[in-house]
Amino acid sequence: MSILVIAEHDNSSLKGATLNTVTAATGLNGNITLLIAGSNISSVIDEAKKVSGISNIISCDDELYKNFLAEDLSSLVVSISNSYSYILAPATTFGKNLLPRISAKLDVQQISDIISIESEDTFKRPIYAGSCIATVKSNDSIKLITVRSTAFDAAPMDNSNVSVESLDAVNALNISEFVSEEIAKSDRPELTAANIVISGGRGMQSGENFHLLDSIADKLGAAVGASRAAVDAGFVPNDYQVGQTGKIVAPDLYIAVGISGAIQHLAGMKDSKVIVAINKDEDAPIFQVADYGLVSDLFDALPELEAKL
Amino acid sequence: MKILVPLKRVVDYNVKVRPLPDNSNVDLNNAKMSVNPFCEIALEEAVRIKEAGNAEEVIAVTVGKTESQEQLRTALALGADRAILIETDSILEPLAISKVLTKVVEQEAPDLIILGKQAIDGDNNQTGQMLASMLNYPQATNASEVRFDGDKVNVTREIDGGLQTLQLNKPAIITTDLRLNEPRYASLPNIMKAKKKELTIINVSDLGVDINPRTELLSVELPPSRDAGIIVETVDELVEKLKNEAKVIT
Ligand SMILES: Cc1cc2nc3c(=O)[nH]c(=O)nc-3n(C[C@H](O)[C@H](O)[C@H](O)COP(=O)(O)OP(=O)(O)OC[C@H]3O[C@@H](n4cnc5c(N)ncnc54)[C@H](O)[C@@H]3O)c2cc1C
Ligand SMILES: Nc1ncnc2c1ncn2[C@@H]1O[C@H](COP(=O)(O)O)[C@@H](O)[C@H]1O
């Protein structure tokens, strides 16, 4: 059986979630091919050759794939799909945008966001904002799957035996066009890859007050996240949102500050190893999932915490 | 311009969903049902486009049980001009729903189709992209802003690293993210008016689409529960615990 993993990258390096997806693929018993499509991707290919568990790389280096438009990328994947029994992508905005487009062309019911592989055709996945876990069996002959990265370790980078084959681009569809992108630049680790995450909610009261979290994050080497309420209020940009419909994180330590703990927020962080909650309301539901709760005004607790770290 | 908004009846987002005692599925007995929040946002966007003079008609469509008429009436009260129920007692998967929706698109020929990015029951996040693929239409998922530019539509999308803007030819498919707009509430007069608006019911079997399931739900369980934690009294105690007990900071 052959497995195709669609790599997510930014034309210069691999995205971390690709490595978790490869690890999921190693649970399926088969040769793993990594597809890298983009523009000027030689550095991505060099990096990818080290990914443990893969046996070969198919690359497609073409201007057409520079911005990873789902319309064109899906045609490319469909053009090689009949060699594979599985096609996997990370359950990131990249994979979620792309994979259903391929599934529909192949007449396959995709399995989204798996957290475990039970057998060659059976998978577990969260439903209802993670309130329940469903075990689902796929009866399609090809299986298309997106992988929740927090549920699988990152593949190590110790491979030295990977062949690379290049592929021609397929005809452009010309129905959509890339206009622009604003990618947030930060010196901090990426939310989904950080070992420690400190998130603020509506209780932070303003964007400026997020500096209180920033200085703690700097000391801990942590990433900064937020609840939906904090993002909606404009305190921080949308890519900070943790939750059912934001990012899924599972760091060693998650510190929730001024966050009540709505189920949609918990869906994005309750698999963290250790959870700390700082909230002035002792009845806030966040305390039900916290390993350590501190009932305190955050404007007192945060400066003290910063000083004592 | 004509806008089609596919929407789904789902359990209300405030309901805490649990498995049935035999773990065969989730227990939705007597649960409050609503329009999926992302679909409300989709409908609101369509209605605003119409109110801005950029569209003539907004059609809401749902594939589901006869009870889904309630959610279509809500959509009519919120500003949809007419509604279509594709009636079925089976629970359809996104692939089948997309196939059914292609039939509605063939009938109605909308210029724009706005869906939610995900239904909060199955959390699949598939239908919009599948429908776009079946129709060979362009797609912009996770929209946070929609603007018209001549006969094209520019959509800003929320992506993992920030924001991305795409330009789509029409007909196009858009799926909505949370911050696209804040949906209005239905007013009493509009709820009354909605009762007189047209609601067409079509049986799914009349569409000649293969809706056979491709997956089987083997079981539904609660996620592993977390052990009860403790309340610390001071910041000092918190730091001490994190260092020496949890060993997550140094
Ligand atoms: C379809 C849908 C999807 C959603 N997706 C997400 C998602 O992905 N992520 C997400 O986070 N939410 C999501 N939500 C929203 C979610 O339901 C909650 O509304 C949201 O998480 C609340 O954010 P919050 O905890 O910051 O705000 P609130 O619930 O208002 O809580 C603020 C907390 O701060 C505390 N506080 C206030 N002042 C202080 C102080 N000075 N010191 C200490 N504590 C203080 C209060 O006691 C309170 O507990 C979604 C909702 C819907 C309907
Ligand atoms: N049964 C349905 N009827 C109409 N539209 C639907 C249905 N199911 C899903 N959709 C649409 O597809 C979106 C994404 O759903 P999903 O792919 O199930 O996460 C929803 O927000 C709706 O706009």
Side-chain angles (χ1 to χ4, degrees):
Chain A
M1 272 193 296
S2 300
I3 304 161
L4 184 70
V5 172
I6 304 172
E8 178 176 4
H9 62 88
D10 58 7
N11 294 317
S12 68
S13 59
L14 283 176
K15 293 280 181 191
T18 305
L19 302 179
N20 309 91
T21 308
V22 168
T23 297
T26 58
L28 286 167
N29 275 328
N31 281 330
I32 302 173
T33 299
L34 191 65
L35 172 68
I36 307 177
S39 173
N40 290 319
I41 49 176
S42 54
S43 60
V44 187
I45 296 170
D46 287 342
E47 186 187 0
K49 282 183 196 159
K50 297 184 209 130
V51 177
S52 176
I54 66 171
S55 45
N56 60 310
I57 292 174
I58 296 183
S59 71
C60 185
D61 196 336
D62 196 288
E63 186 65 22
L64 183 59
Y65 304 117
K66 186 174 176 193
N67 298 299
F68 318 111
L69 295 184
E71 291 79 350
D72 291 314
L73 259 188
S74 58
S75 308
L76 180 72
V77 178
V78 168
S79 76
I80 57 169
S81 62
N82 59 16
S83 315
Y84 300 97
S85 320
Y86 296 92
I87 302 178
L88 273 64
T92 54
T93 50
F94 164 83
K96 289 174 180 174
N97 189 44
L98 174 64
L99 211 66
R101 196 144 182 137
I102 301 166
S103 304
K105 285 278 189 303
L106 300 179
D107 195 27
V108 169
Q109 176 51 54
Q110 173 185 319
I111 314 284
S112 291
D113 224 0
I114 64 161
I115 56 169
S116 83
I117 296 170
E118 303 295 298
S119 73
E120 59 178 23
D121 57 12
T122 303
F123 309 92
K124 285 194 194 272
R125 58 180 303 268
I127 53 175
Y128 293 87
S131 305
C132 294
I133 307 293
T135 304
V136 184
K137 178 170 181 282
S138 162
N139 292 323
D140 280 311
S141 54
I142 315 182
K143 310 211 184 326
L144 276 83
I145 296 166
T146 61
V147 174
R148 178 171 288 206
S149 61
T150 53
F152 299 89
D153 292 334
M157 299 294 281
D158 57 7
N159 207 338
S160 55
N161 198 12
V162 176
S163 60
V164 183
E165 185 189 331
S166 71
L167 188 70
D168 289 333
V170 294
N171 292 336
L173 259 74
N174 291 320
I175 49 177
S176 61
E177 225 178 290
F178 173 84
V179 178
S180 63
E181 210 160 70
E182 285 169 48
I183 298 297
K185 288 256 175 295
S186 162
D187 299 334
R188 295 216 182 80
E190 209 194 321
L191 253 182
T192 50
N195 293 325
I196 303 181
V197 173
I198 180 162
S199 292
R202 198 196 310 269
M204 295 302 297
Q205 287 179 12
S206 75
E208 268 114 72
N209 291 337
F210 265 73
H211 289 309
L212 296 168
L213 301 182
D214 290 340
S215 46
I216 294 174
D218 289 339
K219 283 205 164 160
L220 294 175
V224 178
S227 70
R228 174 188 170 185
V231 176
D232 283 2
F235 301 169
V236 287
N238 64 279
D239 56 302
Y240 278 51
Q241 183 175 314
V242 171
Q244 179 189 19
T245 56
K247 288 193 177 127
I248 310 290
V249 302
D252 293 336
L253 173 61
Y254 187 90
I255 308 176
V257 184
I259 292 178
S260 61
I263 172 115
Q264 294 85 6
H265 188 79
L266 301 186
M269 45 65 77
K270 72 177 159 52
D271 293 329
S272 305
K273 262 189 215 115
V274 175
I275 297 175
V276 169
I278 302 177
N279 196 305
K280 67 177 180 190
D281 172 11
E282 61 180 338
D283 294 326
I286 190 78
F287 288 123
Q288 289 162 23
V289 299
D291 300 285
Y292 303 106
L294 179 64
V295 182
S296 162
D297 193 301
L298 67 92
F299 295 103
D300 300 328
L302 290 179
E304 189 182 343
L305 180 60
E306 201 228 311
K308 289 186 170 148
L309 284 172
Chain B
M1 200 172 77
K2 203 176 189 182
I3 307 178
L4 184 72
V5 180
L7 51 87
K8 189 172 190 190
R9 169 187 168 94
V10 296
V11 70
D12 189 82
Y13 78 96
N14 284 311
V15 174
K16 175 108 179 77
V17 177
R18 299 179 56 86
L20 285 166
D22 68 357
N23 292 100
S24 61
N25 208 325
V26 291
D27 183 358
L28 295 182
N29 290 314
N30 305 317
K32 181 178 177 211
M33 303 300 280
S34 299
V35 178
N36 178 44
F38 290 99
C39 303
E40 277 187 338
I41 297 172
L43 181 69
E44 176 68 28
E45 194 64 17
V47 171
R48 288 188 192 184
I49 291 168
K50 184 185 163 194
E51 286 170 349
N54 288 321
E56 288 79 49
E57 194 181 26
V58 175
I59 307 161
V61 57
T62 194
V63 185
K65 293 190 184 160
T66 192
E67 293 89 327
S68 311
Q69 288 180 57
E70 288 166 34
Q71 281 64 40
L72 289 174
R73 286 290 167 206
T74 304
L76 292 167
L78 290 168
D81 297 293
R82 58 191 170 91
I84 304 169
L85 170 63
I86 311 293
E87 196 173 323
T88 170
D89 282 331
S90 324
I91 308 281
L92 303 197
E93 296 165 345
L95 183 74
I97 291 165
S98 306
K99 289 180 186 173
V100 169
L101 290 175
T102 60
K103 295 291 172 187
V104 178
V105 172
E106 279 167 22
Q107 277 280 311
E108 299 289 346
D111 306 278
L112 201 59
I113 307 166
I114 313 182
L115 304 90
K117 79 165 174 183
Q118 92 193 50
I120 61 162
D121 49 3
D123 284 334
N124 280 307
N125 198 328
Q126 298 177 358
T127 308
Q129 299 88 308
M130 286 185 166
L131 182 61
S133 180
M134 289 174 186
L135 295 165
N136 283 317
Y137 286 2
Q139 70 185 48
T141 51
N142 305 5
S144 65
E145 200 184 341
V146 175
R147 285 169 319 250
F148 294 93
D149 183 359
D151 54 356
K152 309 225 170 170
V153 54
N154 287 354
V155 182
T156 300
R157 316 174 48 222
E158 295 196 4
I159 59 172
D160 284 334
L163 297 170
Q164 178 188 65
T165 302
L166 301 178
Q167 182 168 71
L168 313 183
N169 291 359
K170 286 192 297 216
I173 291 201
I174 295 172
T175 76
T176 60
D177 216 318
L178 291 170
R179 281 166 286 278
L180 179 59
N181 59 50
E182 213 170 302
R184 69 194 68 187
Y185 293 96
S187 67
L188 199 56
N190 284 342
I191 293 172
M192 301 310 291
K193 263 192 252 164
K195 294 190 174 144
K196 298 199 194 76
K197 288 186 179 173
E198 180 186 325
L199 194 164
T200 311
I201 300 176
I202 301 169
N203 196 291
V204 77
S205 57
D206 294 338
L207 296 176
V209 182
D210 168 18
I211 55 166
N212 289 317
R214 306 299 186 80
T215 66
E216 290 166 56
L217 183 59
L218 301 186
S219 69
V220 173
E221 280 137 24
L222 285 176
S225 64
R226 291 189 74 95
D227 293 337
I230 58 161
I231 293 290
V232 293
E233 298 303 327
T234 61
V235 172
D236 283 322
E237 191 187 344
L238 176 62
V239 172
E240 191 272 319
K241 295 276 187 206
L242 292 180
K243 277 189 180 152
N244 302 323
E245 191 174 88
K247 299 190 169 60
V248 283
I249 61 173
T250 46

